[in-house]
């Protein structure tokens, strides 16, 4: 009987102490939820890419000298558009200050632009004048504005084209000349960062290649001199890879 009474007294004492012990425990500490991190695209760094598209070159020929006659009054022979495709690559560096982006770039393209017209009756008709452009290069600076992973920019600098000029009789080359021509370029483009380090863009450039005199020869012998004015319009799709980590965290 004493053991039963002792056990009952012990259970009563424990039940009385339990609420007090629970009340004495410290409250669970409050942990603040982590702040969300926003990703911001950074356009700074070296980049390397490829491009492809099409171009059209306006070429106007004027005869200024002829074998045996020497200099003659400038005689227009007409104009033609040399059109076709191009493909190549570009390398450059950009640095970003706030939303402004500045850059330098070199671009080189293999081209297949070709066009012709029959010389005007006052010159050498039925001679056909033909222009071929097989290479185009651009060396430009850029200034742009970025909306996170979207970049719009303008560019300008130097341009170079490699040209071959042919005079054709019945589809056969009669006289010819080759030339590397330097000029200026202006353009604009828009680029989208679609993944870390990767971006795709669309670009348009106008090349001011000016007017140059070229001596056309037959089997290495001088035949005539033509002053040829040239401009080029080109549009390309571009894919770039920027070295480094263009996506950064902003709290």
């Amino acid at each position: 009987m004493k053991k039963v009474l002792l056990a009952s007294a012990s259970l009563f004492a424990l039940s009385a102490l339990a609420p007090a012990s629970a009340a004495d425990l410290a409250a669970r500490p409050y942990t603040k939820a982590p702040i969300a991190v926003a990703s911001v695209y950074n356009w700074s760094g070296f980049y390397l890419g490829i491009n492809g598209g099409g171009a059209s070159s306006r070429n106007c020929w004027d005869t200024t000298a002829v074998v045996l006659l020497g200099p003659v009054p400038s005689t227009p022979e007409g104009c033609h558009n040399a059109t076709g495709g191009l493909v190549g690559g570009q390398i450059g560096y950009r640095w970003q200050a706030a939303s402004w982006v500045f850059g330098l770039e070199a671009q080189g393209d293999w081209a297949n632009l070709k066009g012709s017209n029959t010389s005007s009756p006052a010159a050498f008709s039925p001679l056909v004048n033909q222009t071929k452009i097989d290479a185009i290069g651009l060396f430009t600076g850029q200034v742009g504005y970025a909306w996170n992973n979207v970049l719009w920019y303008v560019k300008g600098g130097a341009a170079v084209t490699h040209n071959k000029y042919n005079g054709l009789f019945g589809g056969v080359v009669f006289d010819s000349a080759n030339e590397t021509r330097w000029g200026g370029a202006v353009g604009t483009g828009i680029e989208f960062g679609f993944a870390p380090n990767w971006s795709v863009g669309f670009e348009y450039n106008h090349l001011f290649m000016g007017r140059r005199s070229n001596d056309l020869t037959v089997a290495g012998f001088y035949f005539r001199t033509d002053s040829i004015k040239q401009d080029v319009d080109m549009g390309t799709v571009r894919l770039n890879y920027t070295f480094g980590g263009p996506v950064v965290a902003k709290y």
Side-chain angles (χ1 to χ4, degrees), residues 98-227:
S99 294
W100 292 97
V101 180
F102 307 90
L104 296 171
E105 182 182 277
Q107 175 179 330
D109 288 273
W110 292 276
N112 185 27
L113 313 184
K114 185 188 297 185
S116 62
N117 71 282
T118 301
S119 178
S120 64
F124 302 104
S125 183
L127 182 70
V128 172
N129 291 327
Q130 181 188 73
T131 301
K132 295 181 179 180
I133 300 178
D134 57 19
I136 299 175
L138 301 176
F139 305 90
T140 55
Q142 299 179 1
V143 178
Y145 192 87
W147 294 268
N148 196 12
N149 66 322
V150 180
L151 172 66
W152 171 77
Y153 59 89
V154 294
K155 61 189 297 187
V160 60
T161 59
H162 185 263
N163 309 280
K164 184 169 185 178
Y165 307 113
N166 294 321
L168 309 175
F169 273 122
V172 178
V173 175
F174 174 71
D175 60 358
S176 63
N178 289 281
E179 173 198 39
T180 298
R181 181 184 297 218
W182 286 87
V186 295
T188 185
I190 187 166
E191 200 163 329
F192 305 89
F194 63 90
N197 303 92
W198 290 98
S199 59
V200 63
F202 307 90
E203 186 175 286
Y204 164 78
N205 290 284
H206 180 79
L207 281 53
F208 302 89
M209 305 310 295
R211 181 178 287 277
R212 304 286 188 276
S213 290
N214 288 268
D215 295 334
L216 285 84
T217 62
V218 180
F221 295 96
Y222 171 80
F223 179 69
R224 60 173 166 151
T225 300
D226 266 73
S227 176

